[in-house]
Amino acid sequence: MPGVLTAEQAVQTGRAIAAMQEPSGAIPWFPGGQTDPWDHLESAMALTTLGLDEEADAALEWSLRTQRADGSWPIQVRGTTVENAGTDSNFCAYLAVAAWHQHLVRGDAARTARLWPAVRAAIDLVLQLQAPGGEIYWARGPGGMLTEALLTGSASIHQSLRCAVLLAEELDDPQPEWEVALYHLGHALRRHPEAFTPKPEFSMDWYYPVLGGAVRGEQAAELIAERWDDFVVAGLGIRCVDHKPWVTGAETCELVLALDAMGRRGQALELFTNMQHLRDPDGSYWTGLVYADGKRWPEEKSSWTSAAVILAADALSGATPGAGLFRDAALPAAELGPDSCGDHCYASGSPV
């Protein structure tokens, strides 16, 4: 994108992510920091986008090697130490997105087939946490399932389920129960906000239903317009929290992806351009900026912020066959149907 980010600068960002990668293949938040399964995979996707295949493969192999017998991963590890052994449904589901993304970009059938059993185990595990109304409970700990659904997590899982269904079709291993689960999750996200614990102060709860593909069209336009002024800071990016003078790179780039999925390329490109103040000379990106005093906070250059930049750049430039990953997260209208609350709405008490 001339004047915004060159191909050479993008590769420099990819190498900055790879420089954080541990010998095990894990990609922590920053050198010496924690690794979680979701952000690790987002970084792996950025490496795939940039053709850093050896590093991307090492990251995916780490995911395969560390998956537990029930299909899950620990919420957080540091090196070889498990710091949080719980299960986060969104973290587990995201392998499907990474696997479908590498299939689109690389077309590596052998790699796709290798990832498939782990994807299948992870999705089956996640759907054990689906509530009767379609939403997905966010976690399971030593005491069992935590019966609370988070909007951001469930919206992200919507994209994961969509990618998992596409993988199943590609590998001729149909999973019709996943398709049903995907429809009911999307319906809950579009029609039943009461099913989710409200966290309106966070920008992710604002745009993630669009980013994850559950909401499109007029509903998406209304949703984004409703809180645009609460989160968007002219010339800088978007706030992470509505009442804090703090803009963050990853959230800004995710909104870029959501706007691109809505066909609003001009706004997406403007936001992407505005957040480039977070770029460091080494190619990495600072997590955020407290614009009230001009200080970077936290004082870290996070792998997942750099990864979000690369994924947004690909979407805007169309550089790889994976550029439409987020645009394609929505179910086709023909499969969605009327999406009304009636005979097929679990949330309103009517079984299929």
Side-chain angles (χ1 to χ4, degrees):
M1 291 177 286
V4 184
L5 188 73
T6 67
E8 292 76 16
Q9 288 174 320
V11 171
Q12 185 188 26
T13 299
R15 297 203 182 282
I17 295 171
M20 303 184 202
Q21 189 169 32
E22 297 173 350
S24 66
I27 305 176
W29 285 18
F30 48 83
Q34 69 268 37
T35 299
D36 74 68
W38 198 102
D39 289 301
H40 162 84
L41 288 168
E42 185 178 38
S43 293
M45 290 161 60
L47 296 175
T48 296
T49 299
L50 293 165
L52 298 173
D53 294 344
E54 183 176 346
E55 294 87 347
D57 284 346
L60 291 170
E61 286 297 321
W62 181 87
S63 293
L64 296 184
R65 193 169 58 251
T66 57
Q67 188 177 34
R68 297 183 290 203
D70 67 353
S72 71
W73 288 266
I75 288 175
Q76 181 175 305
V77 301
R78 192 180 303 266
T80 59
T81 301
V82 175
E83 294 185 333
N84 186 335
T87 296
D88 183 303
S89 55
N90 178 32
F91 286 8
C92 295
Y94 209 60
L95 182 64
V97 179
W100 181 243
H101 178 256
Q102 82 80 32
H103 178 77
L104 292 173
V105 175
R106 295 172 62 182
D108 187 338
R111 169 62 55 182
T112 303
R114 177 164 173 75
L115 293 168
W116 175 237
V119 171
R120 190 171 54 203
I123 296 299
D124 284 342
L125 176 280
V126 168
L127 293 186
Q128 293 176 26
L129 279 68
Q130 188 165 31
E135 69 273 21
I136 308 285
Y137 296 137
W138 82 270
R140 188 172 68 186
M145 189 183 305
L146 303 180
T147 54
E148 178 187 30
L150 304 180
L151 182 63
T152 296
S154 281
S156 178
I157 292 171
H158 184 277
Q159 183 185 23
S160 295
L161 278 174
R162 171 74 172 143
C163 290
V165 167
L166 292 170
L167 278 167
E169 292 174 354
E170 182 68 27
L171 293 166
D172 196 22
D173 188 5
Q175 305 289 326
E177 68 279 12
W178 296 0
E179 299 179 44
V180 174
L182 172 59
Y183 171 80
H184 287 294
L185 172 58
H187 180 78
L189 288 162
R190 288 183 293 275
R191 306 294 183 218
H192 296 282
E194 73 279 1
F196 303 94
T197 299
K199 294 184 180 291
E201 68 272 26
F202 293 101
S203 59
M204 287 189 294
D205 260 31
W206 167 50
Y207 62 77
Y208 248 85
V210 179
L211 181 69
V215 176
R216 288 288 191 267
E218 183 178 343
Q219 186 180 2
E222 292 174 354
L223 186 155
I224 294 300
E226 182 179 3
R227 302 210 59 195
W228 182 270
D229 292 339
D230 295 336
F231 290 112
V232 177
V233 181
L236 293 177
I238 75 167
R239 291 182 175 96
C240 177
V241 183
D242 60 7
H243 60 282
K244 300 288 187 181
W246 178 43
V247 292
T248 48
E251 282 81 357
T252 300
C253 286
E254 288 181 335
L255 180 57
V256 167
L257 288 164
L259 291 169
D260 178 73
M262 296 168 63
R264 291 162 63 167
R265 177 180 168 81
Q267 285 181 312
L269 182 57
E270 181 179 1
L271 277 173
F272 186 74
T273 303
N274 290 345
M275 64 79 57
Q276 295 302 318
H277 64 89
L278 293 171
R279 185 177 178 87
D280 189 82
D282 71 1
S284 61
Y285 283 78
W286 294 89
T287 299
L289 174 76
V290 180
Y291 56 85
D293 58 17
K295 293 181 179 179
R296 303 198 187 281
W297 187 85
E299 292 186 21
E300 64 186 33
K301 295 178 286 185
S302 48
S303 56
W304 39 269
T305 298
S306 295
V309 170
I310 296 305
L311 295 176
D314 190 29
L316 290 171
S317 65
T320 80
L325 180 71
F326 294 88
R327 290 193 292 272
D328 297 337
L331 276 171
E335 295 182 31
L336 190 58
D339 192 37
S340 60
C341 294
D343 291 341
H344 299 285
C345 177
Y346 276 118
S348 59
S350 298
V352 172

